[in-house]
Amino acid sequence: MTDEEKDLINDCRIMIVGTGDFISYLMTELSVIGFDRIQKVTSPLTMPGTEGILIEYIGSGSSLAVVGDEIPMIYPFDFIKGAGVIVVFPGDDRGFLNEDNVRLWAAEYMSGYSAFWNMDGYDWLREVLPEIRAHMTSDEAQKLAAHLCARIAANIAVGRKVKRFPRFYLVES
């Protein structure tokens, strides 16, 4: 990473949504890349159907009450045998956040998308849908999601193109 890219990372403002152990995995991954201004906050910007969601806010600046409409937001998902990530930028469709169970919705969406487009290597996601419906989680999948989020955040910070919703990232462990 160049010095210029490191400066861009330090000036970046991104929000990454997550809960539980994922937060500590994410903090580690972000530090490795060079994010040094990381704030962990409990936010009023919770996703419906969840309680106590924590938002990792990278950077400094405006109130969290309006941040969601002003900066990119990264939504990671633990899919037991892998991880998924949805990235939304200001102005992007955020309708999926109104779902009762965003994690399940994302798993079904990504599974259906992969099946519709006849993509190889994503049968594992369809196979774990019952476990996702049962609210099971995986430390390995959360670590993978944290790794993906940190890399995506770095790419956003330095101005590289990233997949934006309705596109997504999906990786098997």
Side-chain angles (χ1 to χ4, degrees), residues 46-92:
T46 59
M47 290 190 292
T50 62
E51 303 235 354
I53 217 158
L54 296 175
I55 294 182
E56 294 300 332
Y57 173 55
I58 303 167
S60 59
S62 66
S63 162
L64 284 175
V66 295
V67 166
D69 291 331
E70 295 178 355
I71 65 173
M73 295 182 74
I74 301 173
Y75 295 90
F77 301 99
D78 162 357
F79 291 151
I80 314 295
K81 291 185 180 178
V85 177
I86 292 177
V87 178
V88 291
F89 276 69
D92 288 351

Side-chain angles (χ1 to χ4, degrees), residues 9-14 35 37-39 57-61:
I9 283 175
N10 286 325
D11 292 335
C12 181
R13 295 178 61 226
I14 299 170
F35 286 98
R37 292 186 300 175
I38 303 169
Q39 291 178 316
Y57 173 55
I58 303 167
S60 59

Side-chain angles (χ1 to χ4, degrees), residues 13-164:
R13 295 178 61 226
I14 299 170
M15 196 176 288
I16 302 173
V17 179
T19 60
D21 291 337
F22 169 78
I23 300 298
S24 60
Y25 303 142
L26 177 63
M27 299 289 265
T28 300
E29 290 287 340
L30 291 171
S31 296
V32 167
I33 288 180
F35 286 98
D36 61 2
R37 292 186 300 175
I38 303 169
Q39 291 178 316
K40 181 172 134 179
V41 296
T42 301
S43 169
L45 300 174
T46 59
M47 290 190 292
T50 62
E51 303 235 354
I53 217 158
L54 296 175
I55 294 182
E56 294 300 332
Y57 173 55
I58 303 167
S60 59
S62 66
S63 162
L64 284 175
V66 295
V67 166
D69 291 331
E70 295 178 355
I71 65 173
M73 295 182 74
I74 301 173
Y75 295 90
F77 301 99
D78 162 357
F79 291 151
I80 314 295
K81 291 185 180 178
V85 177
I86 292 177
V87 178
V88 291
F89 276 69
D92 288 351
D93 178 15
R94 295 169 191 248
F96 69 92
L97 296 176
N98 295 323
E99 296 294 326
D100 288 334
N101 184 334
V102 176
R103 179 180 176 230
L104 177 58
W105 176 89
E108 290 172 340
Y109 170 74
M110 292 179 192
S111 176
Y113 182 99
S114 300
F116 179 82
W117 291 106
N118 229 5
M119 297 168 64
D120 290 330
Y122 296 104
D123 291 339
W124 63 268
L125 181 55
R126 187 176 55 251
E127 293 168 6
V128 297
L129 284 174
E131 295 170 63
I132 293 169
R133 284 187 189 101
H135 306 287
M136 295 176 68
T137 62
S138 160
D139 285 340
E140 196 62 36
Q142 289 180 34
K143 289 176 185 176
L144 179 58
H147 180 80
L148 287 171
C149 286
R151 296 318 183 258
I152 292 166
N155 284 333
I156 291 170
V158 300
R160 293 185 188 114
K161 282 192 160 195
V162 296
K163 296 178 184 179
R164 294 167 53 171

